[in-house]
Amino acid sequence: MNNIIGIFENLYQRNITILPKTFYLQDTFNIAEDLLGKLIVHYEGHNTTAGRIVEVEIYIGKCDKASHAYRFGKTKRTMVMFERGGLAYVFNVHKYNQFCVVTGEKDHPDAILIRAIEPVYGVEIMKNRRKTENLIKLGSGPGILCQSLNITKKLYGIDLASPNSELFICDDYFIFKKDEIIKTKRIGINYAQEYIHVPWRYYLKNSPFVSVL
DNA sequence: CGGACGATTCTCT
DNA sequence: GAGAATCGTCCGG
């Protein structure tokens, strides 16, 4: 194997399957459930890091008053959400980066925010980046996980389904039961009126790595 | 070009 | 659990 996926598979010593482009064109709520337990990999040679997704939030472009696509329309920042699913939306809030997976067909600007990961690979590198030994503090928050995985705006628009992308999402056959998915209201969107209380935050029950309990 | 503010985090209490 | 830090975006002049 000569591509980045193959190189990572050797490093990781476990079989993986990259999520294909078609995965990101399904219904956004289904994608959100299926992203839980999957692995985000940032390939950077000796600084490669990876984490398991344990918490996500859904943002529906057409109607959702919390969604950047709904609030601002197509701007330089939000543009990528209007492309086809499978691309990375990296943006800034306060001084921190956050990372979303774009879903749906072109001009269907849904996105799924990755809110928490469990550190899985390159943990020492993550500790150095975050300047802490505490594993919980390597993944429990959308800005925090971007620091750990070194996700910056250089990765804006990158194709998460390409076997040669330095940022991709894959399946490593992590097993959990559907009834371990908890659905609650989203965090930090108190301006979103009737969408404040919709249960569009999904996380894995009993995971110590989620951002807020 | 300036003002307002946020898909947050950290550091106290 | 409250308050400050702090800066990129967006929008109105």
Side-chain angles (χ1 to χ4, degrees):
Chain A
M1 281 278 229
N2 241 351
N3 54 30
I4 284 180
I5 301 288
I7 296 168
F8 176 72
E9 200 163 35
N10 284 336
L11 291 173
Y12 190 45
Q13 294 285 303
R14 186 165 171 182
N15 290 330
I16 58 166
T17 307
I18 190 166
L19 301 181
K21 293 188 200 308
T22 50
F23 173 84
Y24 299 99
L25 303 179
Q26 307 169 79
D27 172 77
T28 301
F29 295 91
N30 291 336
I31 297 171
E33 289 197 6
D34 287 344
L35 277 177
L36 290 170
K38 299 299 190 288
L39 208 61
I40 302 173
V41 182
H42 188 189
Y43 179 78
E44 303 178 79
H46 293 300
N47 291 319
T48 296
T49 47
R52 188 173 315 287
I53 299 170
V54 298
E55 176 180 348
V56 297
E57 277 179 1
I58 295 159
Y59 291 86
I60 299 295
K62 278 202 170 56
C63 57
D64 178 5
K65 290 179 179 169
S67 160
H68 289 168
Y70 180 89
R71 293 169 65 201
F72 303 109
K74 195 188 285 190
T75 66
K76 187 178 178 195
R77 175 172 69 151
T78 63
M79 192 167 46
V80 74
M81 283 199 281
F82 292 81
E83 297 301 316
R84 68 158 172 78
L87 308 184
Y89 172 38
V90 182
F91 61 98
N92 173 275
V93 174
H94 290 83
K95 63 177 180 182
Y96 305 98
N97 290 319
Q98 304 197 30
F99 164 52
C100 282
V101 175
V102 175
T103 63
E105 304 287 347
K106 189 169 167 58
D107 295 318
H108 182 101
D110 291 357
I112 298 172
L113 174 69
I114 309 302
R115 279 198 62 90
I117 58 164
E118 172 178 349
V120 168
Y121 186 87
V123 177
E124 293 306 313
I125 294 158
M126 296 184 183
K127 287 177 178 174
N128 286 335
R129 288 175 178 160
R130 291 275 304 144
K131 309 214 183 313
T132 178
E133 291 292 313
N134 184 342
L135 292 178
I136 302 294
K137 293 182 178 172
L138 300 181
S140 57
I144 290 170
L145 70 90
C146 283
Q147 285 181 359
S148 285
L149 298 175
N150 192 24
I151 295 175
T152 66
K153 290 217 282 277
K154 280 185 301 193
L155 299 174
Y156 183 91
I158 198 171
D159 186 353
L160 300 166
S162 160
N164 273 308
S165 279
E166 62 180 277
L167 186 67
F168 61 91
I169 302 179
C170 62
D171 191 353
D172 67 341
Y173 312 103
F174 174 80
I175 306 291
F176 65 94
K177 297 194 183 80
K178 269 279 202 265
D179 67 6
E180 295 176 63
I181 300 176
I182 308 294
K183 302 183 178 180
T184 67
K185 64 177 238 184
R186 295 170 293 176
I187 309 293
I189 51 146
N190 289 327
Y191 51 84
Q193 301 178 36
E194 70 269 31
Y195 287 88
I196 290 173
H197 294 288
V198 295
W200 290 354
R201 170 177 177 240
Y202 298 178
Y203 65 88
L204 287 185
K205 185 180 178 180
N206 301 328
S207 172
F209 298 97
V210 302
S211 62
V212 213
L213 292 173

